[in-house]
Amino acid sequence: MSYAYDDQNIFAKILRGEIPNTTVLETEHSLAFRDLYPQAPTHVLVIPKGAYVSYDHFATEASEAEIVDYTRAIAEVCRLEGVTLTAGEGFRMISNAGSHGVQEVPHLHVHILGGRPLGRMLAKA
Ligand code: AMP
């Protein structure tokens, strides 16, 4: 079964310039922008420009150039935000997928969170 991508999702609209965003970094294949409802002092979303729903979709079907660009863009955002282990106190990356992952926007995004202690990874169910 192939992955279905809805090009009306809000991040696709951001990529087309139809709605604004606060850009942190733009590269050939990736865009990073601030989350509209930040949950930590650093809360940046990093998305590939390609039409990928989730990380497994991206890792399966993206080109090596896209994967390298995206991976490096995530690291560069961490550097720009001062949360790397070389310059700061660390961060958390989260990428939600599908209904069990409680993904709201069906375009791959990694949340980069930092700037304060973030607590345990998951609340107890
Ligand atoms: P997720 O639940 O992983 O799909 O997360 C979607 C994230 O997108 C949430 O943290 C929202 O606050 C964020 N979000 C929704 N709309 C926008 C927008 N227009 N600009 C920036 N962030 C957004």
Side-chain angles (χ1 to χ4, degrees):
M1 204 169 95
S2 60
Y3 292 91
Y5 180 82
D6 170 14
D7 69 5
Q8 293 307 305
N9 76 76
I10 201 141
F11 295 167
K13 291 180 181 178
I14 285 176
L15 285 168
R16 290 195 295 266
E18 294 168 10
I19 60 171
N21 74 92
T22 305
T23 298
V24 172
L25 176 72
E26 181 166 11
T27 64
E28 184 180 1
H29 294 295
S30 308
L31 179 70
F33 53 91
R34 299 207 180 278
D35 197 290
L36 206 51
Y37 304 101
Q39 296 185 44
T42 287
H43 190 170
V44 177
L45 303 173
V46 190
I47 67 174
K49 291 181 177 176
Y52 302 103
V53 180
S54 59
Y55 198 86
D56 55 304
H57 185 195
F58 179 73
T60 303
E61 296 189 5
S63 67
E64 291 188 10
E66 291 175 293
I67 291 170
V68 169
D69 180 295
Y70 188 58
T71 304
R72 292 256 159 82
I74 290 168
E76 178 63 2
V77 167
C78 291
R79 193 189 67 76
L80 291 169
E81 293 293 303
V83 298
T84 60
L85 296 188
T86 51
E89 300 297 324
F91 58 92
R92 180 172 293 156
M93 288 167 52
I94 298 174
S95 189
N96 298 316
S99 58
H100 281 196
V102 195
Q103 180 180 15
E104 290 172 23
V105 181
H107 181 112
L108 168 60
H109 49 285
V110 166
H111 299 253
I112 298 175
L113 297 145
R116 66 166 171 80
L118 295 165
R120 293 180 64 86
M121 188 168 67
L122 292 176
K124 288 183 182 157

Short mmCIF file of all heavy atoms in Angstrom, two decimals, residues 7-66:
data_model
loop_
_atom_site.label_atom_id
_atom_site.label_comp_id
_atom_site.label_asym_id
_atom_site.label_seq_id
_atom_site.Cartn_x
_atom_site.Cartn_y
_atom_site.Cartn_z
N ASP A 7 -2.42 17.35 -0.04
CA ASP A 7 -1.69 18.61 -0.30
C ASP A 7 -2.43 19.85 0.21
O ASP A 7 -1.99 20.97 -0.02
CB ASP A 7 -1.31 18.74 -1.78
CG ASP A 7 -2.50 18.95 -2.69
OD1 ASP A 7 -3.64 19.08 -2.19
OD2 ASP A 7 -2.29 18.97 -3.92
N GLN A 8 -3.55 19.64 0.90
CA GLN A 8 -4.24 20.77 1.54
C GLN A 8 -3.86 20.93 3.01
O GLN A 8 -4.42 21.77 3.72
CB GLN A 8 -5.76 20.61 1.41
CG GLN A 8 -6.26 20.73 -0.03
CD GLN A 8 -5.77 22.01 -0.70
OE1 GLN A 8 -5.97 23.11 -0.19
NE2 GLN A 8 -5.10 21.87 -1.84
N ASN A 9 -2.90 20.13 3.49
CA ASN A 9 -2.52 20.27 4.91
C ASN A 9 -1.79 21.60 5.12
O ASN A 9 -1.26 22.21 4.19
CB ASN A 9 -1.68 19.07 5.37
CG ASN A 9 -0.25 19.12 4.87
OD1 ASN A 9 0.56 19.89 5.39
ND2 ASN A 9 0.07 18.34 3.84
N ILE A 10 -1.79 22.04 6.37
CA ILE A 10 -1.33 23.40 6.67
C ILE A 10 0.15 23.62 6.36
O ILE A 10 0.56 24.72 5.96
CB ILE A 10 -1.69 23.76 8.13
CG1 ILE A 10 -1.71 25.25 8.34
CG2 ILE A 10 -0.77 23.10 9.12
CD1 ILE A 10 -2.80 25.72 9.24
N PHE A 11 0.97 22.58 6.49
CA PHE A 11 2.39 22.77 6.19
C PHE A 11 2.64 22.82 4.68
O PHE A 11 3.55 23.51 4.21
CB PHE A 11 3.24 21.69 6.86
CG PHE A 11 3.21 21.77 8.37
CD1 PHE A 11 3.70 20.71 9.13
CD2 PHE A 11 2.69 22.87 9.04
CE1 PHE A 11 3.68 20.77 10.53
CE2 PHE A 11 2.65 22.93 10.43
CZ PHE A 11 3.14 21.88 11.17
N ALA A 12 1.81 22.12 3.90
CA ALA A 12 1.89 22.26 2.44
C ALA A 12 1.55 23.70 2.05
O ALA A 12 2.17 24.28 1.15
CB ALA A 12 0.93 21.27 1.77
N LYS A 13 0.57 24.29 2.75
CA LYS A 13 0.19 25.68 2.46
C LYS A 13 1.33 26.63 2.84
O LYS A 13 1.60 27.62 2.15
CB LYS A 13 -1.09 26.04 3.21
CG LYS A 13 -2.31 25.30 2.64
CD LYS A 13 -3.59 25.66 3.37
CE LYS A 13 -4.74 24.86 2.76
NZ LYS A 13 -6.01 25.10 3.43
N ILE A 14 2.02 26.33 3.95
CA ILE A 14 3.19 27.14 4.33
C ILE A 14 4.25 27.04 3.25
O ILE A 14 4.82 28.05 2.80
CB ILE A 14 3.73 26.70 5.71
CG1 ILE A 14 2.80 27.22 6.81
CG2 ILE A 14 5.18 27.18 5.92
CD1 ILE A 14 3.17 26.79 8.22
N LEU A 15 4.52 25.83 2.76
CA LEU A 15 5.54 25.65 1.73
C LEU A 15 5.18 26.38 0.44
O LEU A 15 6.06 26.87 -0.27
CB LEU A 15 5.75 24.16 1.44
CG LEU A 15 6.53 23.40 2.51
CD1 LEU A 15 6.42 21.89 2.30
CD2 LEU A 15 8.00 23.82 2.51
N ARG A 16 3.88 26.49 0.13
CA ARG A 16 3.45 27.21 -1.08
C ARG A 16 3.37 28.71 -0.85
O ARG A 16 3.03 29.45 -1.76
CB ARG A 16 2.09 26.68 -1.55
CG ARG A 16 2.13 25.26 -2.11
CD ARG A 16 0.85 24.92 -2.88
NE ARG A 16 -0.33 24.88 -2.04
CZ ARG A 16 -0.83 23.78 -1.46
NH1 ARG A 16 -0.25 22.61 -1.66
NH2 ARG A 16 -1.91 23.84 -0.71
N GLY A 17 3.64 29.16 0.39
CA GLY A 17 3.59 30.59 0.69
C GLY A 17 2.17 31.11 0.86
O GLY A 17 1.94 32.32 0.84
N GLU A 18 1.21 30.20 1.07
CA GLU A 18 -0.19 30.62 1.19
C GLU A 18 -0.53 31.11 2.60
O GLU A 18 -1.49 31.85 2.78
CB GLU A 18 -1.12 29.46 0.80
CG GLU A 18 -1.02 29.10 -0.67
CD GLU A 18 -1.71 27.79 -1.02
OE1 GLU A 18 -2.44 27.22 -0.19
OE2 GLU A 18 -1.50 27.33 -2.17
N ILE A 19 0.23 30.65 3.60
CA ILE A 19 0.08 31.17 4.95
C ILE A 19 1.47 31.46 5.52
O ILE A 19 2.44 30.82 5.13
CB ILE A 19 -0.74 30.25 5.88
CG1 ILE A 19 -0.08 28.89 6.01
CG2 ILE A 19 -2.17 30.09 5.43
CD1 ILE A 19 -0.74 28.05 7.09
N PRO A 20 1.55 32.44 6.43
CA PRO A 20 2.87 32.87 6.90
C PRO A 20 3.49 31.90 7.90
O PRO A 20 2.80 31.06 8.48
CB PRO A 20 2.57 34.22 7.57
CG PRO A 20 1.14 34.14 7.97
CD PRO A 20 0.45 33.24 6.99
N ASN A 21 4.78 32.05 8.08
CA ASN A 21 5.47 31.29 9.12
C ASN A 21 6.65 32.12 9.60
O ASN A 21 7.07 33.06 8.94
CB ASN A 21 5.96 29.94 8.59
CG ASN A 21 7.15 30.08 7.67
OD1 ASN A 21 8.29 30.01 8.09
ND2 ASN A 21 6.89 30.35 6.40
N THR A 22 7.17 31.77 10.76
CA THR A 22 8.37 32.42 11.28
C THR A 22 9.55 31.49 11.01
O THR A 22 9.79 30.55 11.77
CB THR A 22 8.21 32.72 12.78
OG1 THR A 22 7.03 33.48 12.96
CG2 THR A 22 9.41 33.51 13.30
N THR A 23 10.24 31.76 9.91
CA THR A 23 11.30 30.85 9.46
C THR A 23 12.54 30.97 10.33
O THR A 23 12.99 32.08 10.64
CB THR A 23 11.65 31.16 7.99
OG1 THR A 23 10.49 30.95 7.18
CG2 THR A 23 12.78 30.27 7.48
N VAL A 24 13.08 29.81 10.68
CA VAL A 24 14.35 29.74 11.42
C VAL A 24 15.48 29.39 10.46
O VAL A 24 16.60 29.89 10.57
CB VAL A 24 14.24 28.69 12.55
CG1 VAL A 24 15.59 28.44 13.22
CG2 VAL A 24 13.19 29.11 13.58
N LEU A 25 15.18 28.53 9.48
CA LEU A 25 16.20 28.07 8.53
C LEU A 25 15.50 27.56 7.27
O LEU A 25 14.47 26.89 7.37
CB LEU A 25 17.01 26.92 9.15
CG LEU A 25 18.06 26.26 8.26
CD1 LEU A 25 19.25 27.20 8.06
CD2 LEU A 25 18.54 24.94 8.87
N GLU A 26 16.06 27.91 6.12
CA GLU A 26 15.58 27.31 4.87
C GLU A 26 16.78 26.78 4.11
O GLU A 26 17.80 27.46 3.98
CB GLU A 26 14.82 28.32 4.01
CG GLU A 26 14.30 27.67 2.73
CD GLU A 26 13.26 28.49 1.98
OE1 GLU A 26 13.05 29.66 2.33
OE2 GLU A 26 12.66 27.92 1.04
N THR A 27 16.68 25.54 3.64
CA THR A 27 17.73 24.93 2.83
C THR A 27 17.10 24.46 1.53
O THR A 27 15.90 24.65 1.30
CB THR A 27 18.37 23.73 3.57
OG1 THR A 27 17.36 22.72 3.72
CG2 THR A 27 18.92 24.12 4.93
N GLU A 28 17.88 23.81 0.69
CA GLU A 28 17.35 23.37 -0.61
C GLU A 28 16.13 22.46 -0.45
O GLU A 28 15.14 22.60 -1.17
CB GLU A 28 18.46 22.63 -1.39
CG GLU A 28 18.01 22.23 -2.79
CD GLU A 28 19.10 21.50 -3.56
OE1 GLU A 28 20.20 21.30 -3.00
OE2 GLU A 28 18.82 21.14 -4.72
N HIS A 29 16.18 21.56 0.52
CA HIS A 29 15.11 20.56 0.63
C HIS A 29 14.32 20.64 1.93
O HIS A 29 13.47 19.76 2.18
CB HIS A 29 15.73 19.15 0.53
CG HIS A 29 16.33 18.84 -0.80
ND1 HIS A 29 15.59 18.76 -1.97
CD2 HIS A 29 17.62 18.61 -1.17
CE1 HIS A 29 16.38 18.48 -2.98
NE2 HIS A 29 17.61 18.39 -2.53
N SER A 30 14.61 21.61 2.78
CA SER A 30 13.99 21.62 4.12
C SER A 30 13.62 23.04 4.54
O SER A 30 14.22 24.02 4.08
CB SER A 30 14.96 21.04 5.17
OG SER A 30 15.45 19.79 4.77
N LEU A 31 12.63 23.12 5.45
CA LEU A 31 12.24 24.41 6.02
C LEU A 31 12.03 24.20 7.52
O LEU A 31 11.41 23.21 7.93
CB LEU A 31 10.93 24.90 5.38
CG LEU A 31 10.38 26.23 5.89
CD1 LEU A 31 11.27 27.40 5.44
CD2 LEU A 31 8.95 26.46 5.37
N ALA A 32 12.54 25.14 8.32
CA ALA A 32 12.33 25.09 9.77
C ALA A 32 11.66 26.40 10.19
O ALA A 32 12.07 27.48 9.76
CB ALA A 32 13.67 24.92 10.49
N PHE A 33 10.63 26.27 11.02
CA PHE A 33 9.89 27.46 11.46
C PHE A 33 9.38 27.24 12.87
O PHE A 33 9.27 26.10 13.34
CB PHE A 33 8.74 27.79 10.49
CG PHE A 33 7.81 26.65 10.21
CD1 PHE A 33 6.67 26.43 10.97
CD2 PHE A 33 8.09 25.76 9.17
CE1 PHE A 33 5.82 25.37 10.71
CE2 PHE A 33 7.24 24.68 8.89
CZ PHE A 33 6.10 24.49 9.66
N ARG A 34 9.04 28.34 13.54
CA ARG A 34 8.60 28.24 14.94
C ARG A 34 7.19 27.69 15.03
O ARG A 34 6.32 28.05 14.23
CB ARG A 34 8.68 29.62 15.63
CG ARG A 34 10.08 30.15 15.62
CD ARG A 34 10.41 31.09 16.76
NE ARG A 34 11.81 31.51 16.59
CZ ARG A 34 12.86 30.82 16.98
NH1 ARG A 34 12.69 29.68 17.64
NH2 ARG A 34 14.09 31.24 16.75
N ASP A 35 6.98 26.80 16.01
CA ASP A 35 5.64 26.28 16.27
C ASP A 35 4.74 27.44 16.72
O ASP A 35 5.15 28.29 17.51
CB ASP A 35 5.68 25.19 17.35
CG ASP A 35 4.42 24.35 17.35
OD1 ASP A 35 3.36 24.89 17.75
OD2 ASP A 35 4.49 23.18 16.95
N LEU A 36 3.53 27.46 16.20
CA LEU A 36 2.58 28.54 16.53
C LEU A 36 2.20 28.52 18.01
O LEU A 36 1.86 29.55 18.58
CB LEU A 36 1.33 28.35 15.65
CG LEU A 36 0.47 29.54 15.31
CD1 LEU A 36 1.28 30.70 14.75
CD2 LEU A 36 -0.63 29.13 14.32
N TYR A 37 2.23 27.36 18.63
CA TYR A 37 1.85 27.21 20.04
C TYR A 37 3.01 26.55 20.79
O TYR A 37 2.94 25.37 21.15
CB TYR A 37 0.57 26.37 20.17
CG TYR A 37 -0.57 26.93 19.37
CD1 TYR A 37 -0.93 26.37 18.13
CD2 TYR A 37 -1.28 28.04 19.82
CE1 TYR A 37 -1.96 26.90 17.37
CE2 TYR A 37 -2.32 28.58 19.06
CZ TYR A 37 -2.66 28.00 17.85
OH TYR A 37 -3.67 28.53 17.10
N PRO A 38 4.10 27.31 21.03
CA PRO A 38 5.31 26.70 21.59
C PRO A 38 5.08 26.08 22.97
O PRO A 38 4.40 26.66 23.81
CB PRO A 38 6.30 27.86 21.65
CG PRO A 38 5.48 29.11 21.57
CD PRO A 38 4.25 28.75 20.80
N GLN A 39 5.67 24.91 23.17
CA GLN A 39 5.54 24.21 24.45
C GLN A 39 6.84 24.23 25.25
O GLN A 39 6.94 23.60 26.29
CB GLN A 39 5.09 22.77 24.18
CG GLN A 39 3.69 22.72 23.56
CD GLN A 39 3.18 21.31 23.41
OE1 GLN A 39 3.30 20.50 24.32
NE2 GLN A 39 2.59 21.02 22.27
N ALA A 40 7.83 24.97 24.76
CA ALA A 40 9.12 25.13 25.45
C ALA A 40 9.76 26.39 24.86
O ALA A 40 9.35 26.86 23.79
CB ALA A 40 9.99 23.91 25.22
N PRO A 41 10.78 26.96 25.54
CA PRO A 41 11.42 28.16 25.00
C PRO A 41 11.91 27.97 23.56
O PRO A 41 11.81 28.89 22.74
CB PRO A 41 12.58 28.39 25.98
CG PRO A 41 12.10 27.81 27.27
CD PRO A 41 11.29 26.60 26.88
N THR A 42 12.47 26.80 23.26
CA THR A 42 12.74 26.44 21.86
C THR A 42 11.69 25.43 21.43
O THR A 42 11.54 24.38 22.07
CB THR A 42 14.14 25.81 21.69
OG1 THR A 42 15.12 26.83 21.83
CG2 THR A 42 14.30 25.15 20.33
N HIS A 43 10.93 25.78 20.40
CA HIS A 43 9.98 24.82 19.80
C HIS A 43 9.92 25.13 18.31
O HIS A 43 9.18 26.01 17.87
CB HIS A 43 8.60 24.91 20.44
CG HIS A 43 7.69 23.78 20.02
ND1 HIS A 43 6.48 23.54 20.62
CD2 HIS A 43 7.83 22.82 19.06
CE1 HIS A 43 5.91 22.48 20.05
NE2 HIS A 43 6.70 22.04 19.09
N VAL A 44 10.75 24.41 17.59
CA VAL A 44 10.88 24.62 16.14
C VAL A 44 10.43 23.35 15.43
O VAL A 44 10.72 22.23 15.88
CB VAL A 44 12.34 24.96 15.77
CG1 VAL A 44 12.51 25.11 14.26
CG2 VAL A 44 12.79 26.24 16.50
N LEU A 45 9.73 23.53 14.32
CA LEU A 45 9.31 22.40 13.47
C LEU A 45 10.21 22.38 12.25
O LEU A 45 10.42 23.43 11.62
CB LEU A 45 7.85 22.57 13.04
CG LEU A 45 6.84 22.70 14.19
CD1 LEU A 45 5.46 23.04 13.63
CD2 LEU A 45 6.78 21.41 14.99
N VAL A 46 10.73 21.21 11.92
CA VAL A 46 11.55 21.07 10.72
C VAL A 46 10.83 20.13 9.77
O VAL A 46 10.44 19.02 10.16
CB VAL A 46 12.96 20.52 11.03
CG1 VAL A 46 13.85 20.63 9.80
CG2 VAL A 46 13.59 21.27 12.21
N ILE A 47 10.61 20.61 8.54
CA ILE A 47 9.87 19.81 7.56
C ILE A 47 10.68 19.68 6.27
O ILE A 47 11.44 20.58 5.91
CB ILE A 47 8.46 20.41 7.24
CG1 ILE A 47 8.56 21.74 6.51
CG2 ILE A 47 7.65 20.57 8.52
CD1 ILE A 47 7.21 22.29 6.04
N PRO A 48 10.53 18.55 5.59
CA PRO A 48 11.10 18.46 4.25
C PRO A 48 10.18 19.22 3.28
O PRO A 48 8.97 19.32 3.52
CB PRO A 48 11.09 16.96 3.96
CG PRO A 48 9.95 16.43 4.77
CD PRO A 48 9.80 17.33 5.97
N LYS A 49 10.74 19.72 2.20
CA LYS A 49 9.90 20.41 1.21
C LYS A 49 9.11 19.41 0.37
O LYS A 49 8.09 19.76 -0.21
CB LYS A 49 10.77 21.29 0.32
CG LYS A 49 11.34 22.50 1.07
CD LYS A 49 12.18 23.39 0.17
CE LYS A 49 12.67 24.62 0.94
NZ LYS A 49 13.57 25.47 0.14
N GLY A 50 9.57 18.19 0.31
CA GLY A 50 8.87 17.15 -0.45
C GLY A 50 7.60 16.71 0.25
O GLY A 50 7.40 16.93 1.45
N ALA A 51 6.73 16.06 -0.52
CA ALA A 51 5.40 15.65 -0.04
C ALA A 51 5.47 14.30 0.68
O ALA A 51 5.15 13.25 0.10
CB ALA A 51 4.43 15.58 -1.23
N TYR A 52 5.88 14.34 1.94
CA TYR A 52 5.99 13.13 2.74
C TYR A 52 5.11 13.27 3.98
O TYR A 52 5.11 14.30 4.64
CB TYR A 52 7.44 12.90 3.17
CG TYR A 52 8.38 12.79 1.99
CD1 TYR A 52 9.20 13.85 1.64
CD2 TYR A 52 8.41 11.64 1.21
CE1 TYR A 52 10.05 13.77 0.54
CE2 TYR A 52 9.24 11.54 0.11
CZ TYR A 52 10.06 12.61 -0.22
OH TYR A 52 10.88 12.52 -1.31
N VAL A 53 4.40 12.21 4.29
CA VAL A 53 3.45 12.23 5.40
C VAL A 53 4.14 12.05 6.75
O VAL A 53 3.78 12.70 7.74
CB VAL A 53 2.40 11.11 5.22
CG1 VAL A 53 1.39 11.12 6.37
CG2 VAL A 53 1.69 11.24 3.90
N SER A 54 5.12 11.18 6.79
CA SER A 54 5.67 10.72 8.07
C SER A 54 7.14 10.37 7.89
O SER A 54 7.64 10.29 6.76
CB SER A 54 4.91 9.48 8.54
OG SER A 54 5.06 8.46 7.55
N TYR A 55 7.81 10.10 9.02
CA TYR A 55 9.23 9.79 8.92
C TYR A 55 9.47 8.49 8.15
O TYR A 55 10.41 8.39 7.36
CB TYR A 55 9.88 9.72 10.31
CG TYR A 55 11.37 9.83 10.18
CD1 TYR A 55 11.98 11.06 10.12
CD2 TYR A 55 12.15 8.70 10.00
CE1 TYR A 55 13.34 11.18 9.91
CE2 TYR A 55 13.51 8.80 9.80
CZ TYR A 55 14.10 10.04 9.76
OH TYR A 55 15.44 10.15 9.53
N ASP A 56 8.63 7.50 8.36
CA ASP A 56 8.82 6.23 7.64
C ASP A 56 8.62 6.42 6.14
O ASP A 56 9.34 5.84 5.32
CB ASP A 56 7.93 5.12 8.20
CG ASP A 56 6.47 5.47 8.23
OD1 ASP A 56 6.11 6.51 8.84
OD2 ASP A 56 5.66 4.74 7.63
N HIS A 57 7.63 7.28 5.76
CA HIS A 57 7.42 7.59 4.35
C HIS A 57 8.68 8.23 3.77
O HIS A 57 9.21 7.81 2.73
CB HIS A 57 6.22 8.54 4.23
CG HIS A 57 5.82 8.86 2.83
ND1 HIS A 57 4.98 9.91 2.52
CD2 HIS A 57 6.16 8.29 1.65
CE1 HIS A 57 4.80 9.95 1.21
NE2 HIS A 57 5.51 8.99 0.65
N PHE A 58 9.19 9.25 4.48
CA PHE A 58 10.37 9.99 4.03
C PHE A 58 11.59 9.06 3.91
O PHE A 58 12.27 9.02 2.88
CB PHE A 58 10.63 11.11 5.03
CG PHE A 58 11.84 11.95 4.75
CD1 PHE A 58 11.83 12.86 3.70
CD2 PHE A 58 12.96 11.87 5.56
CE1 PHE A 58 12.95 13.66 3.45
CE2 PHE A 58 14.06 12.68 5.32
CZ PHE A 58 14.06 13.57 4.26
N ALA A 59 11.85 8.31 4.96
CA ALA A 59 13.05 7.47 4.98
C ALA A 59 12.99 6.38 3.93
O ALA A 59 14.02 5.92 3.43
CB ALA A 59 13.23 6.86 6.37
N THR A 60 11.77 5.99 3.55
CA THR A 60 11.61 4.95 2.54
C THR A 60 11.73 5.50 1.12
O THR A 60 12.34 4.88 0.25
CB THR A 60 10.22 4.27 2.69
OG1 THR A 60 10.12 3.76 4.02
CG2 THR A 60 10.03 3.13 1.71
N GLU A 61 11.18 6.70 0.89
CA GLU A 61 11.03 7.16 -0.50
C GLU A 61 11.85 8.39 -0.88
O GLU A 61 12.00 8.69 -2.07
CB GLU A 61 9.54 7.43 -0.79
CG GLU A 61 8.70 6.16 -0.71
CD GLU A 61 7.27 6.34 -1.18
OE1 GLU A 61 6.92 7.44 -1.68
OE2 GLU A 61 6.50 5.38 -1.05
N ALA A 62 12.38 9.13 0.09
CA ALA A 62 13.13 10.35 -0.25
C ALA A 62 14.48 10.00 -0.87
O ALA A 62 15.02 8.91 -0.64
CB ALA A 62 13.33 11.20 1.00
N SER A 63 15.02 10.95 -1.63
CA SER A 63 16.35 10.76 -2.20
C SER A 63 17.41 10.92 -1.11
O SER A 63 17.15 11.51 -0.05
CB SER A 63 16.59 11.80 -3.29
OG SER A 63 16.66 13.09 -2.71
N GLU A 64 18.59 10.44 -1.40
CA GLU A 64 19.68 10.61 -0.43
C GLU A 64 19.97 12.09 -0.20
O GLU A 64 20.26 12.52 0.92
CB GLU A 64 20.93 9.86 -0.89
CG GLU A 64 20.72 8.37 -0.82
CD GLU A 64 21.97 7.55 -1.07
OE1 GLU A 64 23.07 8.13 -1.14
OE2 GLU A 64 21.83 6.33 -1.20
N ALA A 65 19.86 12.90 -1.24
CA ALA A 65 20.11 14.35 -1.09
C ALA A 65 19.09 14.97 -0.11
O ALA A 65 19.46 15.79 0.73
CB ALA A 65 20.03 15.04 -2.44
N GLU A 66 17.84 14.56 -0.23
CA GLU A 66 16.81 15.08 0.69
C GLU A 66 17.08 14.64 2.12
O GLU A 66 16.93 15.41 3.07
CB GLU A 66 15.42 14.60 0.26
CG GLU A 66 14.91 15.18 -1.03
CD GLU A 66 13.58 14.55 -1.43
OE1 GLU A 66 13.58 13.34 -1.75
OE2 GLU A 66 12.56 15.25 -1.42
#
